[in-house]
């Protein structure tokens, strides 16, 4: 049985209170489902304004039936959190919430509305003086098992749209994102420390920052405050499939771990870069420079990674920047504005890795090089095998360091097979954003939206 939030017995002073009243009544009476319909009978409008986070308890399903939920102006709130998220018991095994579902029907929409001004740069400039950034998430689940997020349209996120920490046995599917790159770090779906056995599939649209990010960073201050006693900080057994998206200068999929946290058994299949916006990287593993607070990544901490059936027009198809073990990359095609096939950072080392069926075929005017090998340690690549590597329309095959591998060239490099110099790259991020970590971006592409600085001087990004 569904409890309908339009029943006047649930009406409160606000829409948030009305929805929470329905959930609380369902929990009290043993019901397990509430429905939010398109029309809001309390106000007579076709929108539900969320001015306070709606808390979802264990065993509850929230159905959003063609309804539009929008965050109120000026608030520092989520749309949904699990009930124990901010409680002391929520940082224990006993306080793990379970069986929580948020299901959209039809044109169900979660909308961040207008920016409240809270951003990462404020925290960098004035640490401790502003509300925590997790208050800007649309959905935040912490210490939850057996959960599902499905069928949602997401727009105007104020920071990351969905974030999960210490969550397991979950599914996030059939969601469409419409972000415009006007705010800092508008990720789509973020799995943070302690996430395991989760499937992410059938995701479409465009995000401001990474569409999907797996970040196991246990020394991050927010993460340290959120530790669950008795749970591992590793991210593992994650399946990502059937993704059709693009980003505003960032990565479609990002994997990053540090300080002893591991990421393993990660499978990514059928990933399509739509090219609606220009992504900086298609799939990004690690970082260009060592990223850690206490200890650098060790071999084996990132392992059993599979990338299969991936097409992209991102500036860099792949960027690999850390020691990785048991890696399979196969059936990759690059096209359009792609500049670099694979960027191998200087810190990369391989153990039992293979790249096969890789075709580099960008526009002639955009192409730079098939492989950018930043380091000069040939031993780091000794256990990386290449099979069926094809290239066309490139200026160079290798930049900085040349590898001794067979390459099938459909056309000769327009400048040289090998160049000892770094490729000539613009900032894909700079196409959409004015600043990077507070610094003005200068190496913009010619078609960036800030080409007319005077016209855009009042934009805040």
């Amino acid at each position: 049985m569904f409890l309908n939030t339009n029943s006047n017995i649930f009406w409160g002073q606000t829409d948030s209170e009305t929805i929470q009243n329905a959930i609380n009544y369902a929990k009290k009476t043993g019901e397990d489902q509430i429905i939010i319909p398109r029309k809001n009978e309390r106000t007579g409008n076709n929108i539900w304004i969320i001015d306070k986070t709606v808390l979802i308890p264990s065993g509850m399903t929230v159905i959003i039936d063609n309804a539009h939920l929008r965050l109120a102006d000026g608030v520092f709130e989520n749309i949904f959190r699990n009930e124990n998220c901010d409680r002391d018991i929520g940082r224990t095994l006993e306080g793990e919430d379970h069986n929580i579902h948020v299901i959209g029907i039809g044109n169900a929409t979660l909308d961040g509305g207008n920016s409240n001004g809270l951003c990462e740069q404020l925290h960098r400039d004035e640490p401790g003086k502003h509300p925590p950034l997790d208050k800007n998430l649309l959905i935040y689940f912490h210490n939850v098992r057996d959960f599902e997020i499905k069928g949602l349209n997401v727009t105007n996120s104020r920071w990351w749209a969905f974030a999960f920490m210490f969550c397991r046995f979950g599914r996030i599917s059939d969601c469409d994102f419409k972000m415009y790159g006007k705010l800092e770090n508008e990720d789509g779906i973020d799995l943070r420390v302690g996430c395991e056995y989760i499937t992410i599939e059938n995701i479409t649209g465009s995000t401001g920052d990474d569409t999907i990010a797996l970040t196991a960073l246990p020394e991050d201050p927010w993460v340290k405050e959120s530790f669950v006693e008795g749970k591992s900080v590793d991210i593992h057994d994650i399946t990502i499939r059937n993704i059709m998206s693009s980003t505003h200068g960032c990565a479609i999929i990002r994997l990053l771990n540090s300080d002893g946290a591991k990421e393993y058994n990660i499978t990514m299949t059928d990933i399509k870069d739509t090219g609606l916006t220009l992504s900086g990287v298609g799939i990004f593993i690690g970082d260009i420079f060592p990223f850690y607070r206490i200890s650098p990544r060790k071999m084996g901490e990132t392992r059993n990674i599979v990338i299969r059936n991936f097409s992209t027009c991102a500036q860099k198809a792949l960027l690999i920047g850390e020691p990785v073990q048991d890696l399979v990359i196969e059936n990759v095609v690059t096209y359009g504005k792609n500049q670099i096939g694979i960027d191998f950072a200087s810190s990369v080392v391989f153990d039992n890795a293979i790249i096969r069926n890789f075709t580099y075929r960008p526009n002639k005017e955009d192409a730079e090089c098939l492989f950018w090998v930043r380091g000069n340690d040939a031993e780091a690549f000794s256990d990386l095998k290449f099979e069926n590597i094809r290239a066309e329309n490139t200026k160079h095959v290798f930049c900085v360091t040349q590898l001794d591998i067979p390459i099938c060239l459909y056309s000769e490099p327009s400048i040289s097979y090998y160049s000892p110099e770094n490729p000539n790259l613009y900032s894909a991020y700079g196409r959409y954003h004015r600043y990077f970590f507070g610094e003005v971006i200068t190496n913009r592409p010619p078609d960036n939206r800030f080409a007319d600085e005077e016209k855009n001087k009042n934009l805040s990004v």
Side-chain angles (χ1 to χ4, degrees):
M1 175 181 175
F2 294 100
L3 297 182
N4 193 312
T5 55
N6 273 334
S7 175
N8 61 13
I9 67 170
F10 302 134
W11 289 4
Q13 297 299 308
T14 67
D15 295 339
S16 297
E17 186 178 341
T18 296
I19 296 169
Q20 193 67 65
N21 286 344
I23 290 174
N24 293 347
Y25 184 87
K27 178 182 178 182
K28 180 180 177 180
T29 58
E31 300 294 343
D32 59 3
Q33 299 182 82
I34 71 136
I35 188 166
I36 306 172
R38 179 173 181 267
K39 186 169 184 179
N40 183 340
E41 296 289 353
R42 186 184 71 85
T43 64
N45 300 319
N46 290 330
I47 195 164
W48 299 76
I49 301 298
I50 307 301
D51 65 348
K52 186 174 181 179
T53 302
V54 175
L55 302 179
I56 308 176
S58 293
M60 187 63 61
T61 296
V62 175
I63 305 292
I64 304 172
D65 186 1
N66 286 283
H68 189 144
L69 279 63
R70 178 188 294 162
L71 282 172
D73 289 350
V75 301
F76 301 94
E77 300 285 342
N78 313 123
I79 294 181
F80 296 112
R81 283 192 185 211
N82 60 296
E83 187 175 62
N84 285 341
C85 182
D86 278 336
R87 300 174 177 175
D88 289 341
I89 194 173
R91 291 187 288 276
T92 67
L93 294 177
E94 293 76 16
E96 182 182 53
D97 281 319
H98 57 87
N99 297 99
I100 295 177
H101 306 266
V102 179
I103 309 297
I105 297 174
N107 195 32
T109 299
L110 300 187
D111 182 352
N114 297 312
S115 170
N116 56 17
L118 182 64
C119 65
E120 292 183 4
Q121 191 60 43
L122 281 179
H123 278 261
R124 288 190 286 266
D125 292 342
E126 300 175 322
K129 294 185 178 181
H130 301 279
L133 282 163
D134 63 277
K135 298 300 183 183
N136 265 358
L137 300 165
L138 298 184
I139 294 179
Y140 178 33
F141 283 0
H142 174 269
N143 197 18
V144 179
R145 75 173 188 271
D146 301 314
F147 67 90
E148 183 176 20
I149 308 291
K150 180 181 180 181
L152 298 175
N153 298 304
V154 182
T155 190
N156 298 319
S157 181
R158 295 177 176 181
W159 193 41
W160 308 343
F162 305 159
F164 305 85
M165 196 182 302
F166 295 106
C167 292
R168 56 186 177 140
F169 303 113
R171 183 170 181 260
I172 306 144
S173 69
D174 303 283
C175 292
D176 182 75
F177 294 91
K178 286 185 174 61
M179 315 291 198
Y180 304 99
K182 293 183 178 180
L183 297 174
E184 185 181 31
N185 222 339
E186 289 179 309
D187 284 17
I189 301 166
D190 279 54
L191 304 187
R192 305 224 77 192
V193 294
C195 285
E196 58 188 28
Y197 304 105
I198 294 171
T199 295
I200 302 172
E201 62 183 346
N202 306 332
I203 304 300
T204 57
S206 180
T207 53
D209 208 278
D210 304 334
T211 299
I212 299 167
L214 281 57
T215 53
L217 309 175
E219 293 300 317
D220 177 277
W222 172 33
V223 171
K224 292 179 74 171
E225 294 173 357
S226 307
F227 278 156
V228 176
E229 184 179 355
K231 281 198 171 185
S232 167
V233 296
D234 298 343
I235 297 176
H236 63 90
D237 292 278
I238 308 297
T239 299
I240 302 171
R241 61 188 175 217
N242 196 23
I243 311 299
M244 297 180 65
S245 74
S246 67
T247 77
H248 290 73
C250 298
I252 295 172
I253 301 176
R254 178 74 190 274
L255 274 59
L256 181 63
N257 56 304
S258 70
D259 298 302
K262 302 175 180 62
E263 291 191 342
Y264 58 94
N265 300 348
I266 314 294
T267 301
M268 296 160 272
T269 60
D270 301 309
I271 314 298
K272 169 69 175 177
D273 180 351
T274 63
L276 181 65
T277 53
L278 179 64
S279 299
V281 184
I283 297 177
F284 192 169
I285 301 174
D287 212 326
I288 297 174
F289 305 106
F291 185 97
Y292 63 93
R293 293 175 184 265
I294 295 177
S295 60
R297 288 178 292 272
K298 300 178 179 63
M299 181 60 74
E301 290 181 348
T302 305
R303 66 180 187 271
N304 197 15
I305 310 297
V306 175
I307 300 168
R308 183 176 289 124
N309 304 338
F310 170 45
S311 62
T312 182
C313 54
Q315 183 181 46
K316 301 173 183 178
L318 294 110
L319 197 162
I320 305 174
E322 64 181 53
V324 60
Q325 184 179 57
D326 301 329
L327 171 69
V328 175
I329 299 173
E330 62 182 359
N331 305 338
V332 177
V333 176
T334 85
Y335 65 99
K337 289 183 174 292
N338 172 238
Q339 291 190 282
I340 308 294
I342 303 180
D343 180 353
F344 296 103
S346 57
S347 56
V348 75
V349 182
F350 294 98
D351 178 11
N352 187 32
I354 186 167
I355 300 173
R356 60 186 167 217
N357 302 336
F358 189 103
T359 300
Y360 173 81
R361 191 176 288 150
N363 300 330
K364 279 188 177 182
E365 61 270 24
D366 295 299
E368 283 291 326
C369 67
L370 170 61
F371 294 142
W372 183 7
V373 185
R374 299 180 187 234
N376 56 12
D377 181 8
E379 185 63 25
F381 292 83
S382 63
D383 207 11
L384 170 60
K385 298 178 177 60
F386 294 86
E387 295 179 4
N388 193 25
I389 310 299
R390 300 165 182 261
E392 186 175 357
N393 298 336
T394 187
K395 289 181 182 176
H396 313 283
V397 176
F398 293 98
C399 280
V400 182
T401 300
Q402 181 175 336
L403 301 177
D404 184 19
I405 60 173
I407 306 290
C408 177
L409 295 176
Y410 284 97
S411 61
E412 290 300 314
S414 60
I415 297 180
S416 64
Y417 191 86
Y418 162 70
S419 169
E421 305 296 327
N422 288 323
N424 182 27
L425 298 182
Y426 51 77
S427 171
Y429 192 78
R431 184 178 185 182
Y432 307 104
H433 301 269
R434 186 187 297 272
Y435 302 104
F436 183 74
F437 282 89
E439 299 294 325
V440 176
I441 298 169
T442 57
N443 60 329
R444 304 186 187 283
D447 58 350
N448 80 90
R449 71 179 185 182
F450 297 108
D452 185 345
E453 290 291 337
E454 184 64 24
K455 177 181 178 182
N456 295 289
K457 66 181 180 181
N458 293 321
L459 290 175
S460 62
V461 294

